[in-house]
Amino acid sequence: MAGRLKVSKFRNALVKPAKRDGWYADIATGAMSSDADHIKASAKHVAFTWDSLGTVAVLPLSKVGKVDRNTCLVRAHSDHITDFAFGPFNDNLLATGSGDASVALWNIPDAGLTESLSTPVVRLAGAAGRIESLTWHPTASGLLASAAGNTVKLWDVEKAAVTIDLASQHPETVQSLSWKADGTVFATSSKDRILRVVDPRSASAVAGVEAHAGTKTIRVAWAGHLDRILTTGFSKSRERQYCVWDARNLAKPLHLQVLDSSTGVLIPMYDEDTNVVVLAGKGDSTLRYLEVSENAPYVTDPQANVNDPPQIGATLVPRRALDVMECEVWRVLKLTKDAVVPVTFEVTRKSKREFQADLFPDTKGTVAGMTAEQWVAGENIAPPTVSLDPSKNSSIKQPTPLYASSSSASSTPASSSPASSSPAPVSLIKPSASASASSSSSSPVVSSAPSPTPAAPYVPSEKATKAQAIVRSSKYRHVQGTLLHKKNNIESISQLSPVTPIESNMFDANKSFMCMPFSGPGGQLAVFPTMVARRVGPSVPTLQNHAAPLDFAFDPFNDARLAVGCEDSNIRIWTIPAGGLTENLTEPTLILKGHENKVTLVKFHPTIRDLLVTVGADFTIRYWDLSVGGAPLKTISDHAEQILTLEFNNDGQTFATLCKDQLLRLFDTRSGSLIRQATAHHGTRSGRVAFLGTSGFLITTGFAKTSARQIKLFRESDLSEITEVDLDVAPAVLVPIYDEDTTLLYVWGRGDSSISTFEFVHDEAPFLHSATPFKSAELQHGLAFLPKATCNVAEVEVARAVKLSKNTVEYISFKIPRTRPEFFQDDLFPESRVRDTPSITLEEWLAGKNPSVKYVSLKPANMTPLSQAPKEQPKESKFVKYNPALQDSPDQRKEKLLHSMVDSLGDKQTGAMYQDTVQGVEESEWDNY
């Protein structure tokens, strides 16, 4: 009975979920391809799966706040990441395992990633299949256990070699593995529902027993140095339960507890310093903790705490990173669908001025007890412990705050190359002093690791502010998109066609007209004047194409000329009357025939008059001379599958295509020859391509294997991939529109309600920097940007777009806030490319002359450039600055106050007092008393 009456000092621990400003917010979690934790933490970093194939995000533990969607990532594998783990003696060492049957090791910089990593320090290949579990040895340095299929392998990561291969102990897939704290044996659970205790050095299973009767995943956790094993699983009736086992006798469980009937796997997280295990169920909002002991009843009753949002993964933060002076005994990081939520457990004490030694015993430090070779040879040496008392360990009392100052950045030499794909080489492990001599001769990686940076305590509000302080400052960062007044809107559009081919935007506009498809027979296209308001009636004059239009485009040099690619394999050229359509037009100006299948794309050359390029479903690209018509000038047949998009570069001398075979191709326009090609996106759905002005770069939009929408940046000279941005998961194709004057990239999708904006910086990673997006209540069906000549530069309007929604056409103005808008902002409005005048004729181009690009200034005649504006005079402050020389001393203030009081009393005593006006008693009358 004594055991049952024992009261745990952790029984009434205060559970405190972080406020939203203390979350790692706005993250993009990846697909959950296994029943692993999907989030891990060291004393410096937190890592979690990212919404991109084979990718994990790693953030400094102290960098709470909103996470940039362009954050640097570890692009580790070609398949889904199934498990990963930080090294127990090196907070910067991360091991990742994947479905590609490999293990990769990464060195994370102390201050976090400054660029994405794609080349690991070591890649361990040769696993028996998909990696199911990765677990570091608790006492030996550089010894990693991986479970793949029915095989467990122990790797010496310094040698990148298998030291022990256990292929016969498990008849089915190993699901979970956990070491005893002294590193002598480990426990496993497998698909055959058997809990096994394995001695790896003798290559034998010591014992085994059926842990749970249910068929779902069983998780196992060894209770530190105790001879107790905790398993979580399901009963035959699908009830969630946990069991406590005696590792010396697995005949039956010491304790079995049924929790509930939820379906999520229970994640056990064991803290060997306090012998407490925290249980987190996937899909739950509940965290339970209980204390394990050697004596009956072996576990305390589970203490439950419910806090939203529900978790899809969870992990414990090492005790070296806890705020011990606030009595923070554990910290759980909950991975949710869009955030990592820290949950702290604090034990209430009367005073927090003194270190609570009973709550914080000495813990493992960053020095291993022995090398992998020593352990394999049969030695068992415990790692030295460190005190968590701040008075004995300065790293606990005065942590180094990340991103707090320039000191952390100064540790990186200024001469280091920003293009490096991996951090400076360091040792994979940090062996103990006694073992360094024996390991130095056999270590092929490099020398010893640098001293670890002290772990930072969790301070949400302070760290959130510091994280925001490092956001890149840019004049375009706060570009504001606003809807113009509806006086120019086109409203009550009821006949808009809902059918849109994947290759086409099916909406185009210039400064004179806009075009959109209408439903109904005959392949109807409606044309309306731009910036002219109207309410569309039931009867609207249209262009009758006699076949379904699949794409159309206005001639950049003739606002009234429209080219339409149709389903009947013909291209129809229309001339719009001045002022727009007043009646149905049934006969085009010109019909071009030559494609053997439907025409899916039409593009005008950006610098040559009368040159039209079309793409057909016959997998060909054809050039046309619109001045004479007739047969095509050239036919390109280098594509074996459907061409999804085609775009010209700045001067039109090259063009790029994306094909259904996932290849990005670059062609020479004049010869039509293929220059080079590269793989763009792994998804099979449609995409787009856009050249980024004269920078020598181009971007593609498409889909990842996980259906996430992506933007990829390529160098034009060799089509090498520079960076990748994952946006979201949505079905619509992303359409990029690049403004080379402002270097702003606008990205929109049909059916979206927002337009994402990025600033392209060719020499500063991550190259595509997020700016303020435009959001509206109406979903967009089409979007077209008008020429720069339509922008009101006097109001610092850098772009103007036409937005087509379900039944309305609206206009969007993009402006940059400026303090002196009365001057021409010549830093925002450089000379702009002339787009409405051709540089050469088609005859000149065919004769061998190359087109050139002309530029024109956008400065109005009545405005002065900001660079020539007089210097702005400083504004007079509303408040007088404090000057000690002009202030009275304390004695002078007392004297003034005293004089003021005396003057006030003197004023009151000048008149008769109240008691003088009241009739009293004569003096003689008092003699009678």
Side-chain angles (χ1 to χ4, degrees):
M1 295 297 294
R4 294 184 180 274
L5 297 176
K6 179 183 176 181
V7 178
S8 170
K9 53 179 171 283
F10 306 112
R11 179 182 179 185
N12 295 316
L14 182 62
V15 183
K16 298 171 62 177
K19 296 181 179 179
R20 284 189 175 269
D21 61 354
W23 295 8
Y24 307 84
D26 291 352
I27 65 173
T29 54
M32 302 295 109
S33 59
S34 68
D35 286 324
D37 302 347
H38 298 292
I39 180 172
K40 292 293 173 65
S42 71
K44 295 180 184 177
H45 309 288
V46 55
F48 48 88
T49 53
W50 193 259
D51 191 13
S52 182
L53 187 68
T55 303
V56 62
V58 183
L59 302 175
L61 197 61
S62 58
K63 192 181 177 182
V64 295
K66 289 187 177 181
V67 178
D68 189 350
R69 295 302 293 268
N70 297 329
T71 189
C72 298
L73 304 170
V74 177
R75 304 187 186 280
H77 298 274
S78 60
D79 203 343
H80 291 290
I81 290 182
T82 51
D83 199 13
F84 48 93
F86 281 101
F89 308 113
N90 185 346
D91 293 327
N92 297 330
L93 177 60
L94 177 67
T96 60
S98 169
D100 61 8
S102 70
V103 177
L105 279 82
W106 310 84
N107 268 314
I108 310 300
D110 277 341
L113 296 176
T114 57
E115 58 184 343
S116 293
L117 303 182
S118 58
T119 304
V121 179
V122 171
R123 188 173 292 277
L124 308 174
R130 189 180 87 156
I131 303 296
E132 300 293 342
S133 177
L134 289 177
T135 310
W136 291 94
H137 194 277
T139 61
S141 59
L143 190 60
L144 177 66
S146 69
N150 63 348
T151 302
V152 176
K153 292 186 178 182
L154 271 62
W155 304 81
D156 185 341
V157 299
E158 284 286 320
K159 297 180 179 180
V162 177
T163 59
I164 296 176
D165 191 340
L166 304 173
S168 60
Q169 282 72 27
H170 302 84
E172 295 194 38
T173 302
V174 179
Q175 297 175 332
S176 179
L177 185 150
S178 179
W179 287 95
K180 188 177 181 181
D182 60 9
T184 55
V185 292
F186 60 74
T188 64
S189 63
S190 57
K191 202 170 182 179
D192 59 4
R193 307 193 301 274
I194 301 299
L195 167 66
R196 292 176 175 86
V197 176
V198 180
D199 182 352
R201 286 180 289 196
S202 65
S204 63
V206 177
V209 68
E210 183 180 274
H212 299 272
T215 58
K216 300 189 71 173
T217 299
I218 298 174
R219 296 291 300 272
V220 59
W222 201 297
H225 291 276
L226 306 179
D227 289 318
R228 299 287 179 265
I229 302 172
L230 185 136
T231 61
T232 64
F234 295 80
S235 66
K236 280 188 177 181
S237 56
R238 300 181 182 179
E239 295 172 315
R240 283 199 304 193
Q241 55 186 206
Y242 66 85
C243 294
V244 178
W245 304 83
D246 186 343
R248 299 162 298 185
N249 181 10
L250 296 179
K252 62 178 181 179
L254 299 175
H255 180 87
L256 187 151
Q257 178 72 47
V258 175
L259 291 178
D260 50 36
S261 298
S262 297
T263 58
V265 174
L266 283 171
I267 302 172
M269 297 168 284
Y270 193 82
D271 177 25
E272 65 181 75
D273 292 342
T274 58
N275 291 326
V276 168
V277 62
V278 181
L279 300 177
K282 291 193 174 187
D284 296 358
S285 299
T286 303
L287 293 176
R288 300 175 175 89
Y289 67 94
L290 48 99
E291 189 173 359
V292 182
S293 64
E294 288 278 15
N295 303 319
Y298 307 110
V299 289
T300 58
D301 293 333
Q303 305 294 315
N305 176 266
V306 179
N307 52 83
D308 288 327
Q311 63 259 2
I312 56 180
T315 190
L316 276 178
V317 175
R319 306 202 92 204
R320 290 182 287 113
L322 302 182
D323 191 351
V324 296
M325 297 310 294
E326 289 296 324
C327 296
E328 182 187 15
V329 289
W330 315 295
R331 188 191 310 160
V332 174
L333 298 182
K334 290 178 39 169
L335 178 65
T336 69
K337 65 178 182 179
D338 58 2
V340 175
V341 181
V343 180
T344 62
F345 293 75
E346 294 182 3
V347 174
T348 304
R349 291 293 169 96
K350 291 183 179 179
S351 175
K352 294 184 179 179
R353 296 182 180 180
E354 298 179 353
F355 175 71
Q356 308 293 329
D358 62 322
L359 298 179
F360 300 100
D362 291 354
T363 190
K364 289 180 183 177
T366 56
V367 177
M370 54 189 162
T371 64
E373 290 180 345
Q374 289 176 298
W375 181 84
V376 173
E379 297 188 39
N380 293 312
I381 305 175
T385 58
V386 295
S387 173
L388 295 177
D389 188 347
S391 63
K392 300 177 182 178
N393 190 341
S394 59
S395 66
I396 302 297
K397 185 176 182 179
Q398 296 178 344
T400 302
L402 302 179
Y403 301 105
S405 65
S406 60
S407 60
S408 62
S410 63
S411 63
T412 303
S415 60
S416 62
S417 171
S420 174
S421 62
S422 60
V426 295
S427 177
L428 290 177
I429 57 175
K430 188 175 185 295
S432 63
S434 63
S436 60
S438 62
S439 63
S440 61
S441 61
S442 62
S443 173
V445 183
V446 271
S447 59
S448 61
S451 300
T453 304
Y458 172 62
V459 187
S461 59
E462 179 183 355
K463 295 298 183 286
T465 304
K466 292 174 181 175
Q468 295 169 0
I470 65 167
V471 175
R472 182 179 183 273
S473 178
S474 167
K475 56 191 174 186
Y476 300 113
R477 181 185 169 200
H478 297 292
V479 58
Q480 296 177 352
T482 55
L483 291 174
L484 295 181
H485 193 274
K486 63 179 182 179
K487 64 180 181 181
N488 294 322
N489 290 359
I490 299 176
E491 299 178 340
S492 301
I493 302 173
S494 59
Q495 304 99 318
L496 190 65
S497 175
V499 180
T500 301
I502 60 173
E503 302 93 345
S504 174
N505 302 334
M506 294 302 283
F507 182 70
D508 198 16
N510 57 31
K511 64 180 183 293
S512 301
F513 301 104
M514 68 181 71
C515 181
M516 64 193 72
F518 268 27
S519 58
Q524 301 179 63
L525 291 176
V527 179
F528 301 109
T530 303
M531 298 298 292
V532 176
R534 68 175 294 173
R535 185 177 293 275
V536 179
S539 178
V540 178
T542 60
L543 302 176
Q544 304 285 335
N545 289 279
H546 307 291
L550 301 180
D551 193 30
F552 50 84
F554 281 105
D555 188 338
F557 313 123
N558 183 353
D559 288 351
R561 183 155 68 174
L562 179 72
V564 183
C566 298
E567 196 172 32
D568 61 359
S569 73
N570 294 332
I571 302 107
R572 291 171 170 83
I573 310 299
W574 299 88
T575 301
I576 312 301
L581 299 179
T582 57
E583 60 180 359
N584 291 339
L585 296 184
T586 59
E587 295 298 327
T589 306
L590 180 66
I591 297 180
L592 304 174
K593 299 183 178 182
H595 280 286
E596 299 175 1
N597 205 332
K598 56 187 179 181
V599 180
T600 57
L601 289 170
V602 293
K603 295 289 180 181
F604 282 93
H605 195 280
T607 58
I608 302 174
R609 184 191 297 276
D610 294 329
L611 180 57
L612 179 70
V613 177
T614 62
V615 173
D618 53 4
F619 309 152
T620 64
I621 301 172
R622 301 175 189 261
Y623 297 4
W624 306 87
D625 183 357
L626 299 186
S627 62
V628 296
L633 299 174
K634 184 185 291 292
T635 300
I636 302 174
S637 305
D638 287 0
H639 298 81
E641 294 193 41
Q642 182 181 2
I643 303 169
L644 301 174
T645 186
L646 182 149
E647 288 294 336
F648 287 97
N649 73 340
N650 187 57
D651 58 7
Q653 296 198 45
T654 59
F655 65 85
T657 65
L658 271 180
C659 187
K660 205 168 184 179
D661 59 8
Q662 305 173 354
L663 291 180
L664 168 66
R665 293 176 171 88
L666 192 66
F667 289 86
D668 177 74
T669 305
R670 182 181 298 280
S671 65
S673 59
L674 176 64
I675 301 174
R676 60 186 64 90
Q677 65 184 25
T679 301
H681 300 270
H682 296 291
T684 58
R685 302 169 68 180
S686 185
R688 296 288 189 272
V689 62
F691 287 87
L692 302 183
T694 58
S695 65
F697 294 86
L698 70 158
I699 62 114
T700 62
T701 63
F703 293 83
K705 282 187 177 180
T706 58
S707 298
R709 298 196 291 186
Q710 293 180 325
I711 302 174
K712 287 191 176 184
L713 176 68
F714 295 87
R715 184 177 284 107
E716 186 178 349
S717 60
D718 56 3
L719 289 188
S720 59
E721 183 180 337
I722 306 302
T723 190
E724 174 185 304
V725 179
D726 291 339
L727 291 185
D728 52 20
V729 177
V733 177
L734 289 172
V735 182
I737 301 174
Y738 183 69
D739 181 5
E740 61 188 82
D741 296 345
T742 59
T743 69
L744 288 176
L745 175 68
Y746 304 91
V747 182
W748 67 278
R750 181 181 174 89
D752 294 351
S753 61
S754 62
I755 303 172
S756 300
T757 311
F758 299 89
E759 181 186 2
F760 170 64
V761 183
H762 72 279
D763 57 354
E764 183 179 344
F767 307 104
L768 295 175
H769 300 268
S770 295
T772 305
F774 168 79
K775 297 182 179 180
S776 65
E778 295 290 334
L779 302 181
Q780 56 215 11
H781 287 233
L783 189 74
F785 277 71
L786 298 178
K788 281 284 183 175
T790 62
C791 295
N792 188 351
V793 297
E795 295 183 1
V796 202
E797 183 183 21
V798 295
R800 181 174 295 186
V802 187
K803 174 191 172 185
L804 173 65
S805 57
K806 186 176 181 180
N807 52 19
T808 308
V809 171
E810 301 173 297
Y811 297 89
I812 307 172
S813 174
F814 293 90
K815 298 180 181 180
I816 305 293
R818 281 298 173 100
T819 58
R820 306 179 74 184
E822 65 273 14
F823 295 98
F824 175 69
Q825 311 294 317
D826 48 352
D827 60 329
L828 298 180
F829 296 101
E831 289 191 341
S832 182
R833 178 159 65 97
V834 177
R835 299 175 184 271
D836 56 359
T837 303
S839 61
I840 59 173
T841 64
L842 181 56
E843 291 77 8
E844 292 173 328
W845 182 71
L846 292 174
K849 185 177 180 180
N850 287 326
S852 60
V853 178
K854 300 178 181 179
Y855 294 85
V856 64
S857 174
L858 298 177
K859 186 184 81 67
N862 60 347
M863 293 188 73
T864 303
L866 182 64
S867 58
Q868 301 176 13
K871 187 176 181 181
E872 190 174 15
Q873 297 297 324
K875 295 182 181 180
E876 185 177 352
S877 176
K878 296 181 181 179
F879 306 99
V880 179
K881 293 184 178 180
Y882 175 75
N883 188 349
L886 301 179
Q887 304 298 321
D888 294 335
S889 65
D891 292 339
Q892 291 174 327
R893 289 197 295 271
K894 289 180 181 179
E895 186 175 357
K896 285 185 178 181
L897 180 61
L898 183 61
H899 283 303
S900 176
M901 294 173 60
V902 171
D903 293 342
S904 177
L905 290 174
D907 292 340
K908 291 182 179 181
Q909 290 178 356
T910 55
M913 305 191 77
Y914 173 76
Q915 53 266 38
D916 295 336
T917 63
V918 177
Q919 184 175 2
V921 180
E922 293 292 341
E923 291 291 335
S924 59
E925 294 182 14
W926 290 101
D927 295 337
N928 298 330
Y929 298 96

